[in-house]
């Protein structure tokens, strides 16, 4: 009995010190990645909205009141806009600034009510990104708007774990669907009346199309475009993006990803990477949406880096395809950055004045032109490769796996094999736990034995 008690004490101390510390770190990192806009907003009086053409079908990409996954929102928005065949808008319950994961903030083009008034009918396509349901009262308008426009004339396209948002509406009941490999087992238990598919990049079911993790949303979006505009139009979008995996649009079947021991890197990064560098991401007029996503959904989502949006002026920034972004910091009031990331192969021309202002600001953070000389590559590739150099190869590999990026074999990942900090801190905490447990053991059991 005494031996069991002593072993229990060791286990409790270990769990409290190592597990408790890690849990606090993990939660802190997750909350940081899903932080909401909390600054004094700039004047929104002159916010631009893409023109409406009644002869074109309309695509609405949803934004939640709390937070929306950055890749899931930016990339389908850009892809539909690239065709120039649709009206494409970011819509939300209201017109207040909405936050994406990683700290990028967007001004919706329309509120739900404004969009309904403008169209006087349902949108032709509703894109449903992953929107964590953190507060049901705040989220409810999104659920209700999807349900309101669920009809045979509207395509519902869920991206990644946006399938959970779609399942939440009840519209997937009795249908087949897919979602991110890391969430699918949980959703099988939560929604057993849905036939969850693990081995397809996307699953079409009538007017509903669901995609697996993140980059699988590219395949699903290209599939919808090919069905509506033809294969030539879809291939043109893929070529303009330098997307290397169009073959999955034709045949979405894949060998599914599963959780593995190597994935522990992601958990440890989030839990024990306490000294996270702050990387600025320069927002400038004309920035490409996919290029921006490459910064936020690699560095910020890896658990190793805090990404901060920076602009030269406190006013809305308009992206290449008409999204209105708001930076949380300006050049003159941001400090202690490890580097300033500038996205886009033509950034040094498009952002010349912004870069000049940064260079003259006295801030000594390195300027990283992420896509310099990379105009022929898919935008995510150089981000994975730089992440390997900044952190370690295993972190970069998991970043690609998390994004369900199937063309990762051609990446040139160079760096440390794993993170010394992420693995070293729990080892030191384990040693501390053993010392404390041994002290307790000796204090309360050693005397009795004596």
């Amino acid at each position: 009995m005494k031996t069991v008690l002593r072993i229990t004490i060791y286990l409790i101390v270990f769990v409290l010190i190592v597990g408790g510390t890690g849990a606090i770190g993990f939660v802190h990192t997750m909350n940081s990645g899903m932080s909401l806009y909390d600054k004094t907003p700039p004047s929104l009086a002159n916010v631009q909205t893409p023109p409406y053409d009644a002869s074109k079908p309309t695509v609405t990409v949803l934004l939640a009141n709390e937070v929306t996954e950055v890749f899931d929102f930016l990339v389908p928005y850009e892809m539909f806009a690239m065709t120039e065949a649709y009206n494409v808008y970011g819509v939300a319950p209201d017109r207040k600034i909405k936050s994406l994961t990683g700290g990028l903030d967007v001004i919706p083009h329309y509120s739900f009510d404004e969009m309904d008034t403008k169209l006087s009918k349902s949108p032709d396509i509703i894109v449903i990104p992953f929107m964590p349901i953190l507060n049901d009262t705040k989220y409810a308008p999104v659920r209700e708007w999807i349900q309101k426009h669920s009809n045979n004339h509207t395509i519902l396209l869920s991206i990644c774990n946006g399938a959970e948002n779609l399942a939440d509406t009840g519209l997937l009941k009795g249908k087949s669907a897919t979602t991110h490999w890391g969430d699918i087992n949980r959703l099988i238990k939560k929604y057993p009346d849905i036939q969850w598919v693990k081995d397809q990049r996307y699953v079409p079911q009538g007017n509903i199309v669901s995609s697996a993790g993140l980059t699988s949303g590219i395949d699903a979006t290209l599939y919808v475009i090919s069905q509506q505009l033809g294969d030539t139009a879809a291939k043109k979008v893929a070529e303009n993006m330098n997307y290397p995996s169009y073959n999955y649009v034709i045949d979405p079947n894949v060998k599914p990803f599963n959780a593995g021991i190597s994935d522990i890197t992601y958990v440890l990064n989030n839990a024990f990477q306490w000294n996270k560098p702050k990387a600025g991401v320069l927002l400038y007029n004309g920035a490409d949406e996919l290029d921006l996503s490459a910064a936020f959904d690699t560095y910020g989502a890896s658990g190793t880096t805090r990404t901060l949006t920076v602009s030269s002026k406190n006013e809305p920034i308009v992206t290449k395809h008409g999204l209105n972004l708001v930076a949380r910091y300006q050049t003159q009031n941001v400090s202690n950055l490890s580097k300033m990331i500038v996205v886009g192969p033509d950034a040094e021309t498009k952002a010349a004045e912004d870069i000049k202002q940064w260079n003259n600001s006295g801030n000594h953070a390195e300027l990283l032109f992420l896509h310099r000389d990379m105009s022929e590559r898919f935008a995510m590739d150089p981000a994975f490769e730089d992440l390997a150099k900044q952190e370690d190869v295993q972190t970069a590999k998991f970043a690609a796996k998390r994004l369900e990026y199937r063309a990762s074999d051609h990446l040139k990942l160079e760096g440390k094999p794993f993170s010394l900090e992420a693995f070293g801190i729990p080892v030191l905490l384990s040693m501390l736990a053993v010392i404390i447990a041994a002290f307790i053991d000796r204090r309360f059991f050693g005397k009795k034995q004596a």
Side-chain angles (χ1 to χ4, degrees):
M1 184 65 183
K2 186 183 293 184
T3 302
V4 173
L5 183 59
R6 295 171 73 183
I7 292 173
T8 301
I9 289 173
Y10 274 84
L11 290 174
I12 290 173
V13 173
F14 181 86
V15 170
L16 286 175
I17 293 180
V18 182
T21 304
I24 293 170
F26 195 92
V27 171
H28 177 75
T29 302
M30 292 292 103
N31 290 340
S32 177
M34 294 197 294
S35 63
L36 301 180
Y37 185 83
D38 60 354
K39 306 292 182 181
T40 301
S43 173
L44 306 181
N46 297 318
V47 171
Q48 298 183 26
T49 300
Y52 174 70
D53 185 341
S55 67
K56 295 179 179 180
T58 297
V59 178
T60 57
V61 189
L62 302 187
L63 289 159
N65 273 327
E66 291 183 281
V67 70
T68 302
E69 215 293 327
V70 60
F71 186 100
D72 295 359
F73 176 81
L74 289 181
V75 180
Y77 174 91
E78 176 179 29
M79 293 173 68
F80 281 114
M82 286 170 70
T83 67
E84 300 183 349
Y86 299 95
N87 304 303
V88 189
Y89 304 111
V91 297
D94 56 52
R95 292 287 302 281
K96 295 179 182 177
I97 295 171
K98 306 302 177 189
S99 297
L100 306 178
T101 53
L104 182 62
D105 304 294
V106 182
I107 306 167
H109 293 125
Y110 293 104
S111 69
F112 289 157
D113 289 343
E114 290 170 338
M115 194 80 261
D116 288 343
T117 300
K118 190 166 194 68
L119 295 180
S120 299
K121 64 182 183 68
S122 294
D124 297 273
I125 300 172
I126 298 177
V127 180
I128 305 170
F130 176 42
M131 297 165 281
I133 304 175
L134 306 174
N135 181 308
D136 194 74
T137 301
K138 292 181 179 179
Y139 176 77
V142 176
R143 177 192 299 118
E144 293 164 3
W145 201 74
I146 296 172
Q147 292 170 330
K148 176 181 178 180
H149 293 291
S150 59
N151 57 69
N152 293 330
H153 304 292
T154 297
I155 293 174
L156 301 177
L157 170 59
S158 71
I159 308 296
C160 190
N161 208 35
E164 182 171 9
N165 301 95
L166 190 51
D168 171 71
T169 65
L171 298 172
L172 280 177
K173 192 172 184 178
K175 294 183 170 65
S176 296
T178 189
T179 189
H180 191 279
W181 61 268
D183 293 285
I184 197 164
N185 289 330
R186 175 177 62 85
L187 296 188
I188 287 173
K189 296 177 182 178
K190 186 176 182 180
Y191 299 101
D193 52 3
I194 298 171
Q195 299 169 22
W196 293 101
V197 179
K198 292 186 175 184
D199 59 355
Q200 290 184 209
R201 297 275 285 180
Y202 64 87
V203 174
Q205 289 276 280
N207 67 314
I208 295 178
V209 180
S210 58
S211 78
L214 295 113
T215 58
S216 298
I218 295 176
D219 303 325
T221 303
L222 290 171
Y223 168 78
V224 172
I225 292 171
S226 70
Q227 294 297 297
Q228 295 205 329
L229 306 180
D231 194 55
T232 300
K235 282 184 176 179
K236 183 178 179 181
V237 171
E239 290 169 0
N240 288 339
M241 297 170 63
N242 297 312
Y243 182 57
S245 302
Y246 191 83
N247 55 298
Y248 292 120
V249 180
I250 301 168
D251 179 8
N253 290 289
V254 291
K255 181 180 178 181
F257 284 136
N258 293 294
I261 294 177
S262 61
D263 300 345
I264 192 66
T265 298
Y266 175 73
V267 177
L268 295 179
N269 280 340
N270 281 276
F272 298 108
Q273 280 263 26
W274 297 340
N275 185 30
K276 299 186 194 299
K278 293 189 293 185
V281 181
L282 184 66
L283 303 185
Y284 60 90
N285 288 316
D288 181 271
E289 294 85 359
L290 174 61
D291 292 343
L292 286 168
S293 182
F296 291 100
D297 237 330
T298 48
Y299 299 94
S302 68
T304 66
T305 309
R306 185 181 172 198
T307 46
L308 307 178
T309 51
V310 182
S311 64
S312 58
K313 298 178 182 177
N314 188 27
E315 59 186 36
I317 300 297
V318 183
T319 66
K320 184 176 182 179
H321 296 99
L323 283 175
N324 297 280
L325 309 179
V326 176
R328 298 191 187 185
Y329 299 89
Q330 278 64 59
T331 300
Q332 64 274 15
N333 65 14
V334 64
S335 59
N336 299 322
L337 297 180
S338 61
K339 58 185 167 187
M340 172 65 85
I341 301 171
V342 188
V343 302
D346 52 0
E348 288 167 277
T349 301
K350 284 187 176 180
E353 287 301 316
D354 304 87
I355 293 168
K356 181 180 178 181
Q357 182 170 330
W358 175 259
N359 288 332
N360 293 335
S361 69
N363 198 308
H364 300 295
E366 166 201 4
L367 276 171
L368 171 65
F369 293 97
L370 188 61
H371 299 104
R372 176 187 277 170
D373 302 324
M374 299 285 183
S375 60
E376 302 301 318
R377 298 188 69 187
F378 183 56
M380 310 299 295
D381 291 356
F384 293 137
E385 292 173 354
D386 185 69
L387 184 62
K389 294 177 182 177
Q390 174 189 302
E391 298 297 330
D392 58 89
V393 170
Q394 198 57 50
T395 292
K397 284 183 176 180
F398 184 82
K401 181 179 178 180
R402 174 186 165 272
L403 284 153
E404 290 206 25
Y405 186 48
R406 297 279 175 169
S408 59
D409 289 345
H410 72 274
L411 295 175
K412 301 174 182 177
L413 302 179
E414 301 174 351
K416 296 177 296 185
F418 60 89
S419 169
L420 294 176
E421 181 179 2
F423 283 84
I425 288 178
V427 169
L428 292 175
L429 288 173
S430 298
M431 294 169 62
L432 177 63
V434 170
I435 293 171
I436 293 174
F439 173 80
I440 295 173
D441 182 12
R442 196 170 186 179
R443 175 74 174 80
F444 292 98
F445 293 98
K447 286 185 176 181
K448 291 179 181 180
Q449 287 178 346

